[in-house]
Amino acid sequence: MQRSLISLAVTALMGLSAAAPALAAAAPAAKAAQVTTQLPRTAVPTHYAVSLTPDAANSSFSASVTIALEIKQATNRLTLNASELKFSAANISAGPGKAVHAASKIDVNEEQQTATFHFAEALKPGSYQLKLDYTGVIGTQASGMFSLDYENGGAKKRALYTQFENSDARRVIPSWDEPFYKATFALEATVPAGQMAVSNMPVASTTKLADGRELVRFATSPKMSTYLLFFGLGEFERASAVEDGVELGVITQKGSLGQAQFALDSSRAVLKEYNDYFGVKYPLSKLDNVAAPGRSQFFGAMENWGAIFTFEYGILLDPRTATQSDKETAFLVAAHEMAHQWFGDLVTMAWWDDLWLNEGFASWMESRTTDRLHPEWNWSLRAVGTREGAMERDALATTHAIVQRINSVEQASQAFDAITYSKGESVIRMLENYVGDEAWRTGVRSYIAKHAYGNTVSDDLWREVEKAAHKPVTAIAHDFTLQPGVPLIRVSEAVCKNGQTTIQLTQGEYSKDQENKKPLSWRVPVIAQTVGGATVRTVVNGGKASMTLPGCGAVLVNAGQSGYYRTLYAPKAFAALTDSFATMPAIDQLGLLADSWSLGMAGLMPASGFMDLASKAPVDAAPQVWQRIANALGGLHAHFEGKPEQRAALDRYARARLAPVLARIGWTAAKDEAAPVANLRETLITTLGEVGDDGVIAEARRRYAAFATDKDALPAALRRPVLGVIASHADAATWDQLRAAAQAEQSTMIKSELYDLLGSANDKALAQRALELALTDEAGATASASIISHVSHGHPDLAFDFAIAHREQIEKKVDGSSRSRYFPALGGSSADPAMIGKLQAYAKQHLSADAQGDTKTAIAAIEYRIKVRSKRLPQIDAWLAQHQRG
């Protein structure tokens, strides 16, 4: 799954019939007794035969399921997961022709999300079939079975989809809804004629019924976990292509199929790459990507096996609005979700403790594959930003280990975070670099082949990699996955003698909010060089190491930036790197900028160190380097809120530094322009608009005004940044104009973007209007929560207070999996100490202890932000005063 605010997910299909015989015999990696469960271990399901009859108009469905199961010990009751289901019948038999026993009592526990079926006589060990008849609810948010309403050709439409990860299959099918309980699934659905029904497997048959409806039966799935099952229904159309014997498809609402070609082409290229990389071919006969209108606050895409679900904005490219970054997103979604077809679907973590085996690996695979198949995007430079996102979360006291203990559904939902995704990806990148890419791939291939159709824990992967690499990778992996935190490598002043440089390394820990924390211990793979010289490798073990490097000159540690640690240089060593900054490879420039920023804000080095580096960047530095500088200056602009004189000084510097870069690349793309330049242009326009560049604001307004009569005034590449500048600086008349455009827009993707813009106004009164609009049905059931989130970016206290005041209304506009994190996120960017008390009060009143992780993290972030503003910004002020011109 790809996180909605971070990234997305994937899946595929074909039966066990002929495609998987050699793999299916693999023994389970973890014995049932050793795997966490919230259900009794008295029975194990082997097959579900599900019959669904959705009633979209009335937001309900009726269903029956016959579950083939093995009872392991005598019992007179069976407990399954079930939520918001009403049962009308429950019967069990030992097979055809055997006596049928009706349940004597059915206990439904909504708090525990279980249903227990009692029988008058004890059921002896053996094979049984449990048949359940029931009804359920079709919601409006992305959990269980849900509907999405949209307009198409001026007519109102409704489509149905399912979202089961992490624990919502139980809202549609009473089941053993835990990843360890794998089974096969045979799904059939009674649907309106003329609509397309989609599931994990291809349609096996369609039968016309006497009442005009159709009975659609799908082929039986492979053995898989409940959270990977999918069903979709609506007025769809499908584009398809065949690659390596697999039929790939993209399914859209009618009229949008032309926007799916890039996704389809990307899927073909990725499938070919993955079949080779994993050494095990994709085992199903088809793989669809289902594009849906709307959005979720929890995720952006989901890897249902054979039927990936993705919101339209993440996979379709509308030529009127699609930018280079949209194209990259579409490819990343395909790469991430398709990686899950192996890591997650074919081989599944035994319990949510090891969720990172799914998400961290898919994130790493998406980055590796993007860099391999689109070298023109220079994606390897993004690795530093991914690592930074993880480290900033990992350096707070509220962090957790990559492999973490999960005890509840709420904890499982909160595990989809930067530690699981971005730290997981970054640690994999470091370990692959340590053992070598060939040894790593050999280990991965062995892991996939050995555990296909089974469940694993992290050590199963380390065992295979270590066997292939003949290096002690497990010990290093344990250090980085079983304990939280970020290693800090302190680098001494360099000593040069006889053409060689010697440095001393000391391992500590980088913490943003625990100044006197006793550091944990890691075995840290380190790569170092004198700038421009040959690299040398070592592993810092026991807290200290010495390195001798060829050549004399500035010393760069973490050369190539594959390591997951912060690097703190002695003052003279950092000064030497600053002088050499312009000549470094772009990836090391990014790493040095990142470390200096974070260590400076944490008080471990002067906060002005970042500014020193930024001042050394040449105007023709790599686009990604200028994006990093621009984003940091935009962040400082936000930090200076409430300090107009200091903000004005910072903004003058930002304009002086960034405007020449924009002037160099221009507003109009040059012929054969490199893709990263297009992304930089978007960032520069946005940031210069934030810091009040009169020229950028005027040009944005000119183009916006001209667009009414000249569509070329806002080409797709400029539309989003220009509208962002317009929206942030909007007055009441402009805000009304944007709202009218949103109301009139026919495209569901563009409509959502326009409504989001209404929440971006700097003007507090307009922000309040956006919040009030979000309470209405105007923007759509899944758009309101996003509007409020956009308001919170500029007005966190206003957004949080409003959301709490209307909590019950807003909870209905947020999918259940994200409610415990949605409200804390609104207040999480505040710098007002009063917000800490508000968040604590919210958590105490509305969240269980297991669901308070995101609230605690939001509070930690606020406390850190307050410290930065009081202790670090004065150093930036002093630097600006010393270097300001004009």
Side-chain angles (χ1 to χ4, degrees):
M1 180 189 289
Q2 194 165 13
R3 285 286 312 284
S4 179
L5 304 178
I6 308 174
S7 43
L8 314 166
V10 178
T11 306
L13 46 125
M14 173 179 153
L16 278 174
S17 50
L23 302 175
K31 298 192 186 323
Q34 299 172 326
V35 177
T36 301
T37 183
Q38 294 176 329
L39 294 172
R41 288 286 187 205
T42 52
V44 177
T46 58
H47 179 74
Y48 294 83
V50 184
S51 181
L52 289 175
T53 303
D55 183 353
N58 293 304
S59 299
S60 63
F61 66 88
S62 58
S64 67
V65 60
T66 299
I67 308 172
L69 54 90
E70 295 289 329
I71 291 181
K72 299 298 184 181
Q73 59 190 63
T75 181
N76 64 354
R77 69 185 66 181
L78 292 171
T79 299
L80 287 70
N81 291 117
S83 180
E84 296 186 319
L85 301 179
K86 293 183 179 179
F87 295 93
S88 57
N91 300 287
I92 196 166
S93 71
K98 302 291 186 179
V100 176
H101 301 279
S104 59
K105 185 172 67 167
I106 302 175
D107 289 331
V108 175
N109 188 322
E110 279 298 336
E111 183 177 350
Q112 295 182 7
Q113 300 184 349
T114 59
T116 299
F117 303 92
H118 300 262
F119 299 95
E121 298 180 8
L123 304 170
K124 297 178 181 179
S127 299
Y128 291 83
Q129 289 190 334
L130 175 68
K131 186 176 187 300
L132 307 172
D133 297 321
Y134 58 98
T135 59
V137 176
I138 298 175
T140 59
Q141 303 298 326
S143 58
M145 187 183 297
F146 63 99
S147 63
L148 290 174
D149 294 341
Y150 61 97
E151 288 188 9
N152 185 296
K156 292 184 178 179
K157 305 291 183 181
R158 173 169 291 181
L160 303 181
Y161 307 92
T162 59
Q163 167 58 24
F164 289 166
E165 191 179 29
N166 48 280
S167 305
D168 285 322
R170 63 194 64 180
R171 297 182 183 278
V172 179
I173 304 170
S175 54
W176 280 262
D177 192 18
E178 298 177 359
F180 186 76
Y181 287 107
K182 287 192 167 187
T184 55
F185 292 82
L187 175 65
E188 66 176 28
T190 301
V191 302
Q195 294 195 10
M196 183 186 293
V198 187
S199 188
N200 308 76
M201 303 302 294
V203 173
S205 67
T206 301
T207 305
K208 293 187 180 299
L209 303 178
D211 61 5
R213 295 182 298 173
E214 295 178 341
L215 176 63
V216 179
R217 290 190 173 94
F218 298 95
T220 300
S221 79
K223 186 179 177 185
M224 67 183 190
S225 303
T226 51
Y227 77 88
L228 297 171
L229 189 65
F230 176 78
F231 175 73
L233 176 67
E235 296 183 20
F236 304 148
E237 53 186 350
R238 180 175 186 260
S240 63
V242 175
E243 185 66 46
D244 280 359
V246 176
E247 184 176 297
L248 296 166
V250 179
I251 296 171
T252 71
Q253 59 170 290
K254 286 187 175 180
S256 296
L257 207 56
Q259 302 173 21
Q261 190 61 48
F262 180 75
L264 186 60
D265 292 342
S266 297
S267 296
R268 294 184 65 178
V270 171
L271 182 69
K272 189 173 182 180
E273 173 71 14
Y274 286 177
N275 278 341
D276 174 67
Y277 185 85
F278 289 115
V280 172
K281 288 206 168 185
Y282 175 74
L284 310 185
S285 62
K286 72 98 174 173
L287 173 55
D288 282 320
N289 200 318
V290 183
R295 62 183 63 203
S296 162
Q297 296 300 303
F298 182 54
F299 74 106
M302 174 60 206
E303 65 266 21
N304 314 297
W305 214 359
I308 298 165
F309 174 91
T310 309
F311 288 106
E312 290 176 336
Y313 68 83
I315 199 72
L316 301 184
L317 298 179
D318 188 326
R320 294 174 296 164
T321 61
T323 64
Q324 171 62 26
S325 61
D326 291 328
K327 190 175 183 180
E328 292 167 358
T329 296
F331 186 87
L332 289 168
V333 169
H336 183 102
E337 303 308 323
M338 291 178 71
H340 276 308
Q341 305 306 296
W342 287 263
F343 258 84
D345 298 0
L346 181 61
V347 181
T348 311
M349 77 264 140
W351 181 248
W352 302 106
D353 294 7
D354 285 289
L355 174 63
W356 88 281
L357 275 177
N358 287 13
E359 301 301 348
F361 197 94
S363 297
W364 173 79
M365 201 70 186
E366 105 190 12
S367 296
R368 175 199 177 276
T369 304
T370 302
D371 200 44
R372 181 176 174 84
L373 298 184
H374 284 286
E376 74 278 10
W377 294 352
N378 205 358
W379 204 257
S380 61
L381 297 184
R382 298 293 185 102
V384 176
T386 298
R387 185 187 68 195
E388 291 309 294
M391 285 184 175
E392 290 308 289
R393 171 69 178 86
D394 206 15
L396 292 171
T398 55
T399 189
H400 60 81
I402 287 178
V403 179
Q404 57 177 319
R405 181 66 173 170
I406 299 295
N407 294 310
S408 67
V409 169
E410 290 84 359
Q411 280 187 320
S413 295
Q414 294 200 347
F416 293 81
D417 65 4
I419 301 300
T420 297
Y421 285 75
S422 299
K423 183 176 181 179
E425 174 182 349
S426 300
V427 168
I428 289 173
R429 182 176 293 108
M430 177 178 67
L431 293 174
E432 185 209 25
N433 188 281
Y434 172 66
V435 303
D437 56 359
E438 285 301 320
W440 179 263
R441 183 172 71 165
T442 299
V444 167
R445 285 180 166 185
S446 178
Y447 168 84
I448 292 291
K450 182 175 291 188
H451 300 290
Y453 303 99
N455 299 85
T456 61
V457 295
S458 295
D459 276 355
D460 293 314
L461 175 61
W462 306 141
R463 190 177 301 113
E464 300 308 314
V465 172
E466 188 161 282
K467 190 185 302 180
H470 306 291
K471 285 186 176 182
V473 67
T474 300
I476 297 173
H478 280 176
D479 287 350
F480 282 88
T481 61
L482 300 183
Q483 62 183 4
V486 183
L488 174 68
I489 299 296
R490 296 178 182 269
V491 184
S492 69
E493 300 290 8
V495 176
C496 184
K497 186 176 181 180
N498 298 327
Q500 292 185 315
T501 298
T502 301
I503 54 172
Q504 305 300 321
L505 306 179
T506 306
Q507 182 247 298
E509 183 173 351
Y510 164 63
S511 175
K512 295 164 64 174
D513 56 356
Q514 299 178 88
E515 294 180 3
N516 298 314
K517 182 180 187 297
K518 181 180 178 181
L520 298 174
S521 179
W522 290 266
R523 279 155 280 207
V524 185
V526 170
I527 305 173
Q529 64 179 164
T530 56
V531 173
T535 57
V536 176
R537 295 170 179 259
T538 192
V539 175
V540 177
N541 193 355
K544 293 182 181 297
S546 177
M547 297 185 77
T548 299
L549 314 173
C552 291
V555 172
L556 178 68
V557 172
N558 205 3
Q561 304 303 310
S562 63
Y564 186 81
Y565 55 88
R566 288 249 178 258
T567 307
L568 178 59
Y569 296 93
K572 289 181 181 179
F574 183 77
L577 285 170
T578 302
D579 291 339
S580 302
F581 183 76
T583 64
M584 291 180 189
I587 195 165
D588 290 317
Q589 290 178 329
L590 288 166
L592 198 57
L593 285 167
D595 278 338
S596 64
W597 170 268
S598 295
L599 294 170
M601 292 299 111
L604 294 170
M605 65 177 286
S608 56
F610 175 88
M611 304 297 286
D612 289 332
L613 292 175
S615 68
K616 296 287 187 179
V619 72
D620 61 350
Q624 295 87 345
V625 170
W626 276 114
Q627 279 190 282
R628 180 67 184 90
I629 293 171
N631 288 331
L633 294 176
L636 283 173
H637 171 86
H639 273 305
F640 278 115
E641 182 183 10
K643 297 182 177 183
E645 291 184 11
Q646 293 92 331
R647 174 179 271 187
L650 181 278
D651 288 352
R652 283 196 300 273
Y653 174 78
R655 294 193 295 267
R657 204 76 190 93
L658 301 179
V661 184
L662 180 58
R664 177 177 175 271
I665 65 175
W667 282 71
T668 304
K671 185 180 180 181
D672 300 325
E673 177 179 87
V677 175
N679 294 332
L680 174 60
R681 180 180 294 108
E682 190 171 346
T683 298
L684 290 174
I685 292 171
T686 300
T687 304
L688 284 166
E690 289 175 359
V691 299
D693 186 282
D694 291 336
V696 165
I697 295 171
E699 178 64 6
R701 286 173 172 164
R702 184 193 70 77
R703 288 176 176 271
Y704 178 65
F707 183 65
T709 56
D710 177 13
K711 300 305 179 185
D712 293 335
L714 273 187
L718 291 179
R719 180 183 174 279
R720 190 170 296 135
V722 166
L723 289 182
V725 172
I726 295 299
S728 63
H729 292 278
D731 56 16
T734 304
W735 195 91
D736 288 336
Q737 196 174 9
L738 288 169
R739 181 182 181 183
Q743 291 169 327
E745 180 57 53
Q746 293 297 304
S747 163
T748 52
M749 279 197 297
I750 299 176
K751 182 184 284 286
S752 293
E753 279 192 22
L754 290 169
Y755 275 114
D756 283 347
L757 287 171
L758 297 177
S760 303
N762 293 334
D763 185 288
K764 192 173 182 179
L766 295 177
Q768 181 66 38
R769 287 182 63 186
L771 293 171
E772 292 164 359
L773 173 64
L775 286 185
T776 72
D777 296 328
E778 179 181 317
T782 66
S784 293
S786 182
I787 295 173
I788 299 171
S789 293
H790 275 74
V791 172
S792 75
H793 298 162
H795 308 276
D797 304 276
L798 178 69
F800 180 83
D801 291 346
F802 181 87
I804 293 301
H806 302 86
R807 182 183 58 81
E808 291 186 2
Q809 290 171 269
I810 290 171
E811 280 190 342
K812 296 176 182 178
K813 298 177 181 293
V814 179
D815 38 307
S817 299
S818 60
R819 285 176 189 164
S820 65
R821 62 196 341 173
Y822 177 77
F823 291 90
L826 296 178
S829 57
S830 174
D832 185 350
M835 179 58 70
I836 295 171
K838 293 177 184 178
L839 286 167
Q840 290 170 335
Y842 163 75
K844 182 178 180 180
Q845 185 174 358
H846 300 295
L847 300 179
S848 67
D850 284 345
Q852 294 185 19
D854 279 62
T855 303
K856 293 175 181 177
T857 297
I859 290 171
I862 293 168
E863 292 172 337
Y864 181 65
R865 191 173 297 108
I866 292 170
K867 182 170 69 173
V868 165
R869 293 189 179 189
S870 64
K871 295 186 176 181
R872 313 301 173 221
L873 293 190
Q875 296 178 37
I876 303 296
D877 291 336
W879 190 94
L880 289 168
Q882 182 180 356
H883 294 79
Q884 197 81 63
R885 296 186 180 91

